[in-house]
Amino acid sequence: MLVRPPSARLADGELTHLERVPVDADLAAAQWQRYVEVFRGYGWDVRAVPAAEAHPDGVFVEDAVVVFDDLAVLTRPGALTRRDEVASVRPAVEAVVTELAQITDPGTLEGGDVLKVGRTAYVGRTARTNAEGAAQLRALLEPRGWRVVEVPVTRALHLKSAVTALPDGTVIGYAPLVEDPGVFDAFVPVPEAEGSAVVVLDESTVLMSAAAPATTELLRGRGLTVLTTPVTEFEKLEGCVTCLSVRVR
């Protein structure tokens, strides 16, 4: 798993759907460290990409690369201010995969717009990911046995700002942000916006934000072990638990 420490300039990160509020850089650093320790505690191999101090959004490393089996796809962010993040991630990516590809102009794609469920890659069509980027990803994945499904997203920054998937493949999301839940094979609404994002730790365990207690109880009622961690400073910048890491799988 790849992570990247937050920049001291985190508070200057891009915002699309939220109003800017103060961000505590020291608290963000502490929350990031706690987040990383959760994975280490579950035996994950965590590799830290060097901090990108010039890039406020660099901590959201998921947007720079998406991994499918042995193939890593370097993205081309739709946000111009984020495009230089990709090159600095490349050396760390090359160390953990056997094949590398890259989205190219005029395509744009950000990793937060890619949700993997089994052998299906749902791709959010957002202000950050365009039709050409989705088409380039489809051309890379379909010969490898993946199905690519495009999903309209206008109410959230990324697809995974609105929905993620449980270990059994059920997609969860905060209904006011989900335009077409019928595109997913199975969908369950959650009661809090912060509850839409989970990271699967193993077949029965997920990690999610500490800011969604009702969703935590909902998922525990489905038989899951739910770990929570505070990510308030990243949520202020439209981030969540998924975008702080790249799972190499």
Side-chain angles (χ1 to χ4, degrees):
M1 184 180 87
L2 301 179
V3 296
R4 172 174 252 171
S7 164
R9 294 183 54 209
L10 177 68
D12 297 327
E14 295 274 351
L15 279 174
T16 303
H17 294 272
L18 297 180
E19 295 294 326
R20 193 171 299 278
V21 297
V23 173
D24 186 327
D26 291 336
L27 179 56
Q31 290 181 345
W32 180 85
Q33 189 62 50
R34 181 171 173 179
Y35 172 88
V36 170
E37 289 305 318
V38 172
F39 291 92
R40 289 188 172 135
Y42 263 74
W44 286 58
D45 177 15
V46 180
R47 303 188 183 197
V49 178
E53 291 298 340
H55 300 290
D57 289 305
V59 67
F60 303 124
V61 66
E62 175 186 59
D63 291 323
V65 59
V66 189
V67 180
F68 304 88
D69 306 318
D70 293 328
L71 170 69
V73 180
L74 295 171
T75 68
R76 184 170 181 268
L80 293 175
T81 58
R82 302 200 61 189
R83 288 190 182 162
D84 287 345
E85 295 174 26
V86 177
S88 62
V89 169
R90 184 175 186 133
V93 174
E94 290 176 327
V96 296
V97 298
T98 58
E99 189 173 359
L100 198 64
Q102 184 156 19
I103 303 299
T104 59
D105 188 24
T108 61
L109 180 90
E110 295 191 3
D113 280 322
V114 181
L115 174 63
K116 295 178 286 184
V117 181
R119 302 293 290 180
T120 296
Y122 293 99
V123 180
R125 286 288 309 281
T126 66
R128 302 292 186 86
T129 296
N130 64 17
E132 174 62 21
Q136 289 183 28
L137 188 66
R138 177 178 286 106
L140 289 167
L141 295 185
E142 287 187 343
R144 293 170 168 83
W146 286 78
R147 180 173 68 115
V148 175
V149 178
E150 293 184 39
V151 181
V153 179
T154 61
R155 303 172 190 170
L157 176 64
H158 290 128
L159 174 63
K160 289 170 71 175
S161 303
V163 297
T164 53
L166 302 179
D168 66 0
T170 299
V171 173
I172 63 169
Y174 184 56
L177 301 181
V178 183
E179 291 166 61
D180 184 12
V183 74
F184 307 111
D185 294 336
F187 176 80
V188 171
V190 298
E192 298 141 317
E194 296 84 358
S196 64
V198 299
V199 178
V200 174
L201 296 177
D202 62 33
E203 62 184 14
S204 62
T205 309
V206 298
L207 173 66
M208 63 182 297
S209 169
T215 304
T216 297
E217 291 309 307
L218 172 67
L219 299 186
R220 286 174 177 161
R222 292 177 63 93
L224 291 169
T225 298
V226 182
L227 304 184
T228 64
T229 195
V231 286
T232 57
E233 304 314 288
F234 304 107
E235 289 168 339
K236 292 174 182 177
L237 294 163
E238 299 177 294
C240 60
V241 291
T242 65
C243 53
L244 294 172
S245 59
V246 176
R247 276 69 65 192
V248 180
R249 57 182 176 87

